[in-house]
Amino acid sequence: MSSPTAPRPPVPRRPRRHDPGRRDRLIDAALTVIAERGVAGTTHREIARAADVPLGSMTYHFASLEEVLAEAFTRHAESVARVFDERLSAAQDRDAAVEAVITLVADDLLGSRHDLVLSVELYVAAARNPALRAVTQAWMARSRQALERHFDATTARELDALIEGLVLHSALSTDPMTSEQIRHAIHRFLR
Amino acid sequence: MSSPTAPRPPVPRRPRRHDPGRRDRLIDAALTVIAERGVAGTTHREIARAADVPLGSMTYHFASLEEVLAEAFTRHAESVARVFDERLSAAQDRDAAVEAVITLVADDLLGSRHDLVLSVELYVAAARNPALRAVTQAWMARSRQALERHFDATTARELDALIEGLVLHSALSTDPMTSEQIRHAIHRFLR
DNA sequence: GCACCATACGTACAAGCGTACACATCCAAT
DNA sequence: ATTGGATGTGTACGCTTGTACGTATGGTGC
């Protein structure tokens, strides 16, 4: 068709340029994809599509897919931990702390299917990726520390486990526990 | 080299034949691979390698990879549920039932990294696969039913969640809870 | 014995993957 | 105003994947 030495025909290129903070948006897009398709279905192309950027942008901003996942999960853990911290910091006494925990489980954690799925995906990924295991470790330590503002160390640890169980159990069930049932379980443990 | 019409040179083929129960062995091999590499790393080829059978054997015995996963997880859930049933059936009174629960968590569930990983992998897979969600539902229902031999329905449900939390929490921690700590947590809840 | 067919085996193929890389573009420092 | 380097874009390559399918083989019912 065209002569071998002819300059390339002007292939239409994307007009998009100068997108500061694109890296951040990519990490958020990765979290969306993980929540929707799982880690297994999270690919460079899928993330790029979700963020509406070309594939080449992925390899420019991240050295590997592993790096994207690590950054994404770190952000997720940080975000959940912050809410945890805030709720418990706001509580003035033990009774308020108990209420804060109930709100945390019933509203914050169970309220968002997105976050819920991300957490379980992180658990699995952490089982095989040391970097992600460190993320979960730091997260768990921070949660426990937040609980220790109001409860002794043993209680904090046990309560943390109970929270984990209530959340996971409800998440998997077609018939999740109501707020009242969660309140009952937590009061029973802390009675 | 060889003439185009010459009969094929005798390509060395596997001597293996007549392997009744191969399908079963493939399902077990799938569970091994899932535990070692995760669902994401579980492929036809990997399972075939683990079971030492040719790739073609996979497509003969299973219509799809999804079918393999479903059968494998069903087997896993059945196996864990059976142990659960047995321990609780053997208990004659409430005190024995409490001890049974402690043994279940501290020994059976936490004792096997293999089973532990499989369970979490199942949770994640179930989040996106209705067939697997049905498997987890049935499993949870059966566990609760076993607990209801000794505890009222509300207690059974709460206790089931606590067990889940203790197991998952310990599994993820680099500093897992000791048997004594687990005993303490369960006695505290059931006191 | 013998033929049939469930089982076993090897291989091909299209699709999708992570990653590399050459080229385009434009902000910022001079 | 120029230019150099950071950022953005398109595409190609080698690899692995799920799956399909033609052929081989030997246990079983006759």
Side-chain angles (χ1 to χ4, degrees):
Chain A
M1 294 294 215
S2 58
S3 122
T5 56
R8 291 190 176 179
V11 173
R13 293 189 159 240
R14 295 192 191 216
R16 201 93 41 77
R17 302 221 80 268
H18 186 50
D19 181 6
R22 170 174 291 197
R23 206 184 126 95
D24 263 4
R25 279 181 38 238
L26 288 177
I27 294 173
D28 284 336
L31 285 173
T32 302
V33 174
I34 295 169
E36 283 177 1
R37 318 258 197 206
V39 170
T42 300
T43 67
H44 277 135
R45 287 167 175 83
E46 207 66 42
I47 298 169
R49 200 171 306 140
D52 191 31
V53 302
L55 173 61
S57 201
M58 295 300 300
T59 53
Y60 175 72
H61 286 287
F62 304 94
S64 71
L65 189 58
E66 265 213 1
E67 185 181 312
V68 188
L69 294 179
E71 297 229 23
F73 278 128
T74 302
R75 178 169 297 187
H76 166 72
E78 164 65 28
S79 150
V80 177
R82 184 166 43 245
V83 174
F84 214 98
D85 262 352
E86 286 170 2
R87 291 252 185 238
L88 286 172
S89 300
Q92 297 293 342
D93 56 9
R94 187 185 152 113
D95 282 353
V98 174
E99 279 308 306
V101 170
I102 292 169
T103 303
L104 230 19
V105 175
D107 296 356
D108 300 331
L109 299 176
L110 287 180
S112 157
R113 180 131 207 107
H114 178 87
D115 287 0
L116 209 60
V117 173
L118 284 178
S119 299
V120 186
E121 290 282 350
L122 172 54
Y123 296 159
V124 172
R128 271 173 210 89
N129 184 327
L132 294 181
R133 195 150 45 235
V135 172
T136 61
Q137 294 296 326
W139 177 13
M140 275 176 44
R142 189 165 160 191
S143 299
R144 245 195 275 175
Q145 203 179 333
L147 289 172
E148 285 176 9
R149 288 166 161 273
H150 303 281
F151 308 99
D152 67 90
T154 300
T155 302
R157 182 160 200 183
E158 294 172 349
L159 182 54
D160 201 16
L162 177 61
I163 292 170
E164 193 97 67
L166 289 171
V167 170
L168 190 63
H169 219 70
S170 291
L172 293 173
S173 179
T174 47
D175 163 36
M177 291 171 88
T178 65
S179 292
E180 275 318 305
Q181 289 174 314
I182 285 171
R183 174 184 303 275
H184 181 271
I186 289 174
H187 271 126
R188 176 172 186 168
F189 187 77
L190 292 177
R191 100 187 91 124
Chain B
M1 294 297 216
S2 59
S3 123
T5 55
R8 290 188 177 179
V11 174
R13 296 193 155 233
R14 295 191 191 216
R16 203 91 42 78
R17 306 220 78 270
H18 186 50
D19 181 6
R22 170 174 290 196
R23 206 184 127 95
D24 264 1
R25 280 182 37 238
L26 288 178
I27 294 172
D28 285 335
L31 284 173
T32 303
V33 174
I34 295 168
E36 283 177 2
R37 319 258 198 208
V39 170
T42 300
T43 66
H44 277 134
R45 287 168 175 82
E46 206 67 42
I47 297 169
R49 200 171 306 141
D52 191 32
V53 303
L55 173 61
S57 201
M58 294 301 300
T59 52
Y60 174 72
H61 286 287
F62 304 94
S64 71
L65 190 56
E66 264 212 2
E67 184 180 315
V68 188
L69 293 178
E71 297 230 23
F73 278 127
T74 302
R75 180 170 296 186
H76 165 72
E78 165 65 28
S79 150
V80 176
R82 185 168 40 247
V83 174
F84 214 98
D85 263 353
E86 285 170 3
R87 291 254 185 238
L88 285 172
S89 300
Q92 297 293 341
D93 56 10
R94 189 188 150 110
D95 282 352
V98 173
E99 278 308 307
V101 169
I102 292 168
T103 302
L104 230 20
V105 174
D107 296 355
D108 299 331
L109 299 176
L110 287 180
S112 158
R113 180 131 207 107
H114 178 87
D115 287 1
L116 210 59
V117 173
L118 285 179
S119 298
V120 186
E121 290 282 351
L122 172 55
Y123 296 160
V124 172
R128 268 172 214 90
N129 185 328
L132 294 181
R133 194 149 47 234
V135 172
T136 62
Q137 294 296 325
W139 177 13
M140 275 176 44
R142 189 165 160 190
S143 299
R144 243 194 277 176
Q145 203 179 333
L147 289 172
E148 286 176 9
R149 289 166 159 270
H150 303 282
F151 307 98
D152 66 273
T154 301
T155 302
R157 181 160 201 182
E158 294 171 349
L159 182 54
D160 202 16
L162 177 61
I163 291 171
E164 193 98 66
L166 288 171
V167 170
L168 190 62
H169 220 71
S170 291
L172 293 174
S173 179
T174 48
D175 163 36
M177 292 171 87
T178 65
S179 292
E180 276 318 305
Q181 290 174 313
I182 285 171
R183 175 184 303 274
H184 181 270
I186 290 173
H187 270 127
R188 176 170 186 171
F189 187 78
L190 293 176
R191 102 187 89 123

